[in-house]
Amino acid sequence: MRQVPSPNHNGRGEGVRPDIVVIHYTDMTDAESAVRWLCNPASKVSCHYLIGADGALVQMVEETRRAWHAGVSAWDGTGDINSRSIGIELDSPGHRPDAPCFPQAQMASLLALLDGIRSRWPVPRRNVVGHSDIAPERKIDPGERFPWADLAAAGHALHVAPAAAEPFQSPALRAELAAGGYAVPPQDGPAMDALVAAFHRRHLPERVGAPADGVTLATARAFAAAVAADRAAG
Ligand SMILES: [Zn+2]
């Protein structure tokens, strides 16, 4: 692992330990450009780790410090996700021209990194999330082709299969998404549409851009149940 210290960090706050991992893509042409940006004081952004497309790992901020990757965001009932999280950037050109795929070597490196992080810090599976999960109105990374099922199979995230449709009700969908950890707007509208897109992106990728329906609701219910089981497991 290469160390390239970034100046863009501060303290997490008294007694705060990371219990969330946020996965991003860099949306840049190459890993070195991304590292330079994340270490530039003028950018005011950073992350703890960047994983190259070839799997090479760069650490820029110590895990005990608060890196600046999440921005305005919320998950699991709280905002200020930077204070609680470890941020991992995946070298990727982003959605240009299509949703990105992530090479095998990069995913193997990510799984090994998650093994280490989750042995050092109390990060439950339900709190390994994408940037789009915590900031659905602003962010679409890591994108609908990110292999959440592989992370779940390795024990590092939660993922559910599409569930059979049930009668659709918007209040029920809001309740299930909130139970799953999402910050849910109080009513239908653009913010809710963005949240539905984020949920589809992660769990029902073929439905990105489609409105919520009975499959969305049933799958959100299954995800909320998986989160509840993870919470009960301690
Ligand atoms: Zn991001």
Side-chain angles (χ1 to χ4, degrees):
M1 181 170 70
R2 194 156 62 99
Q3 305 278 345
V4 184
S6 171
N8 301 333
H9 60 85
N10 61 342
R12 289 190 180 277
E14 191 65 35
V16 178
R17 294 192 301 168
D19 68 348
I20 295 174
V21 168
V22 181
I23 295 172
H24 304 259
Y25 65 45
T26 56
D27 199 16
M28 291 183 79
T29 50
D30 63 89
E32 290 311 309
S33 302
V35 169
R36 276 197 299 277
W37 178 243
L38 293 162
C39 293
N40 181 343
S43 77
K44 300 209 178 333
V45 293
S46 62
C47 62
H48 294 87
Y49 297 99
L50 181 143
I51 303 176
D54 60 357
L57 185 61
V58 178
Q59 180 169 22
M60 283 165 276
V61 176
E62 294 289 334
E63 292 178 355
T64 52
R65 302 288 293 171
R66 179 178 180 272
W68 304 344
H69 56 95
V72 175
S73 50
W75 184 254
D76 190 29
T78 60
D80 187 16
I81 300 303
N82 280 338
S83 285
R84 290 177 57 178
S85 66
I86 289 174
I88 302 173
E89 289 276 0
L90 302 174
D91 170 31
S92 165
H95 276 69
R96 293 177 287 184
D98 295 310
C101 293
F102 299 91
Q104 197 75 46
Q106 191 176 38
M107 284 302 104
S109 187
L110 174 61
L111 292 178
L113 178 61
L114 288 170
D115 274 336
I117 289 169
R118 297 186 63 239
S119 71
R120 291 186 287 276
W121 304 104
V123 181
R125 296 174 70 175
R126 63 185 179 278
N127 281 356
V128 177
V129 296
H131 202 184
S132 54
D133 291 319
I134 65 170
E137 290 185 86
R138 298 188 302 114
K139 296 294 175 179
I140 60 172
D141 60 314
E144 53 270 32
R145 287 194 194 139
F146 183 78
W148 286 105
D150 293 351
L151 260 66
H156 290 312
L158 296 178
H159 192 261
V160 293
E166 57 178 272
F168 179 69
Q169 291 182 310
S170 196
L173 178 61
R174 281 203 290 277
E176 298 299 344
L177 290 174
Y182 289 90
V184 179
Q187 62 215 0
D188 289 342
M192 186 63 192
D193 293 346
L195 176 55
V196 166
F199 183 80
H200 282 168
R201 205 176 293 289
R202 173 151 164 201
H203 297 281
L204 298 164
E206 66 287 352
R207 289 173 181 253
V208 172
D213 64 9
V215 172
T216 311
L217 172 56
T219 306
R221 196 184 299 288
F223 181 62
V227 167
D230 187 52
R231 211 182 286 280

